[in-house]
């Protein structure tokens, strides 16, 4: 894959997910760093949170990106880092690219604190059993990540998606890969560089070969 002279690759997972979403990428890119989510402070803005996330990294050049909500956060983090490129995987570049259901839900974001995340995690627990892993490994993996998610991070992330009002000015190239069957963030609302045929919202797992090739081409280009 990418040669040693390419900049470090840093990726953020999406809502209710963690580094396991990038399992195939960690195998292909040994230098890949998957950032864990920090606990948000009360009422913390997206930009302030991104600044705190960026503070945990060094000053050297890097490529940062993420899947879904992680891509949105990476755009804001790019303001505070020496970023050579931003990579969006099944994500969007601006609030205008969010689907209609997200925009319609904005007036109801005050209800987010009432979401029973713990109860939802208990209800999802049966899908984390070993029997499900054998029969439906993809469902099992997503259920495990959701059950392990921090409810406070989940609620904060959902609120920031709904009140996202402006995208930051990014002074580096933005590369975007998206699935044509992504029902969470439909491709028709955005303009990716690469559209993966048959790809859904979790491209890193379902279409790892295409995502890895996409990332490898970007890193190789930046290494020149």
């Amino acid at each position: 894959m990418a040669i040693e002279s390419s900049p470090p690759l840093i990726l953020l997972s999406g809502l209710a997910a963690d580094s396991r979403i990038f399992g195939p990428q960690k195998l292909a890119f040994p230098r890949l760093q998957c950032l864990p989510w920090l606990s948000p402070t009360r009422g913390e803005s997206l930009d302030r949170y991104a600044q705190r996330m960026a503070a945990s990294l060094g000053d050297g050049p890097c490529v940062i990106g993420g899947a879904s909500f992680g891509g949105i956060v990476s755009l804001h983090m790019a303001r505070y880092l020496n970023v050579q490129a931003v990579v969006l995987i099944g994500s969007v570049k601006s609030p205008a690219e969010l689907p209609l259901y997200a925009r319609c839900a904005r007036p109801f974001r005050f209800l987010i604190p009432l979401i029973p995340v713990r109860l939802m995690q208990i209800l999802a627990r049966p899908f984390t059993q070993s029997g499900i892993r054998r029969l439906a490994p993809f469902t099992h993996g997503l259920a495990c990540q959701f059950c392990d998610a921090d409810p406070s991070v989940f609620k904060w992330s959902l609120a920031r998606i709904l009140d996202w009002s402006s995208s930051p000015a990014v002074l580096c190239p933005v590369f975007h890969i998206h699935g044509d069957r992504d029902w969470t963030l439909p491709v028709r609302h955005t303009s990716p560089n690469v559209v993966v045929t048959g790809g859904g919202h979790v491209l890193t797992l379902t279409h790892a070969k295409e995502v890895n090739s996409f990332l490898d081409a970007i890193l190789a280009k930046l290494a020149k």
Side-chain angles (χ1 to χ4, degrees):
M1 284 292 182
I3 57 179
E4 287 298 319
S5 59
S6 62
L9 175 62
I10 301 166
L11 294 177
L12 289 79
S13 59
L15 180 66
D18 55 38
S19 64
R20 285 171 285 186
I21 207 76
F22 298 120
Q25 288 69 52
K26 287 189 283 186
L27 292 174
F29 302 93
R31 298 174 65 200
L32 170 62
Q33 183 177 356
C34 300
L35 291 186
W37 292 109
L38 299 176
S39 295
T41 60
R42 185 177 180 84
E44 187 169 23
S45 69
L46 178 56
D47 195 65
R48 174 57 185 153
Y49 184 87
Q51 188 175 14
R52 284 205 296 127
M53 290 283 282
S56 66
L57 301 172
D59 298 328
C62 65
V63 173
I64 192 168
S68 192
F69 179 65
I72 294 173
V73 176
S74 72
L75 285 169
H76 285 261
M77 288 178 65
R79 297 180 58 193
Y80 305 103
L81 295 168
N82 181 10
V83 175
Q84 294 192 5
V86 175
V87 179
L88 304 181
I89 306 171
S91 188
V92 291
K93 303 180 187 72
S94 73
E97 296 181 354
L98 290 172
L100 180 61
Y101 72 81
R103 285 175 279 163
C104 290
R106 284 172 178 165
F108 303 100
R109 60 182 178 271
F110 69 92
L111 296 174
I112 290 176
L114 303 179
I115 297 176
V117 179
R118 290 294 188 193
L119 176 60
M120 293 164 62
Q121 290 174 321
I122 292 172
L123 295 175
R125 188 66 62 182
F127 294 98
T128 67
Q129 303 305 309
S130 58
I132 299 297
R133 182 176 185 177
R134 291 191 297 270
L135 295 173
F138 182 71
T139 299
H140 172 270
L142 295 183
C144 287
Q145 292 184 61
F146 174 67
C147 289
D148 292 342
D150 182 338
S152 66
V153 174
F154 179 90
K155 292 182 180 181
W156 176 86
S157 302
L158 186 57
R160 298 295 77 79
I161 292 172
L162 295 185
D163 64 18
W164 190 32
S165 59
S166 62
S167 55
V170 178
L171 302 179
C172 63
V174 177
F175 300 98
H176 184 182
I177 186 170
H178 215 99
D180 68 350
R181 294 186 181 179
D182 187 333
W183 311 129
T184 303
L185 295 173
V187 68
R188 66 179 180 274
H189 296 305
T190 185
S191 54
N193 302 99
V194 174
V195 177
V196 179
T197 302
H201 193 56
V202 193
L203 283 178
T204 54
L205 295 179
T206 63
H207 293 73
K209 180 180 179 181
E210 290 86 344
V211 172
N212 289 353
S213 295
F214 178 72
L215 294 173
D216 193 51
I218 293 169
L219 295 176
K221 180 179 180 180
L222 294 174
K224 293 179 179 179

